């Protein structure tokens, strides 16, 4: 109801049921293709592609299924 029209939601189970995060030792650590990354999405996980119009339109944005959703209908927007 406020001027920003934002919604805050407490998800208590998020901290107890989440998978362990990957260890990040540095922001400059080398890319590990065996670890989780969004280049490994399966075709069935991509719900749709959003494309701009015009010749200078960037690569499409992907809307993908979230394997660890916070709420029903939670998806990922991947630039």
């Amino acid at each position: 109801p406020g001027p920003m029209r934002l919604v805050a939601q407490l998800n208590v189970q998020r901290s107890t049921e989440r998978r362990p995060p990957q260890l990040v030792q540095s922001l400059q650590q080398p890319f590990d293709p065996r670890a989780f990354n969004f280049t490994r999405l399966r075709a069935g996980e991509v719900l749709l592609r959003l494309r701009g119009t015009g010749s200078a339109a960037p690569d499409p944005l992907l809307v993908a299924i979230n394997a660890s959703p916070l709420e029903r209908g939670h998806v990922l927007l991947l630039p």
Side-chain angles (χ1 to χ4, degrees):
M4 299 292 286
R5 302 183 71 179
L6 299 176
V7 174
Q9 179 177 352
L10 175 62
N11 294 293
V12 177
Q13 295 172 320
R14 183 69 176 163
S15 64
T16 58
E17 296 181 8
R18 66 183 270 199
R19 71 186 112 152
Q22 294 178 7
L23 179 63
V24 177
Q25 297 175 346
S26 166
L27 292 177
Q28 297 178 342
Q29 69 189 55
F31 177 72
D32 181 0
R34 295 168 296 155
F36 172 79
N37 67 78
F38 288 109
T39 64
R40 295 174 53 189
L41 285 177
R42 294 185 302 265
E45 294 176 313
V46 176
L47 297 173
L48 57 108
R49 299 176 196 288
L50 302 174
R51 298 177 194 257
T53 57
S55 61
D59 291 338
L61 298 173
L62 300 180
V63 178
I65 293 172
N66 188 343
S68 299
L70 292 173
E71 185 65 52
R72 186 169 39 138
H74 184 197
V75 295
L76 299 170
L77 178 62
L78 307 169

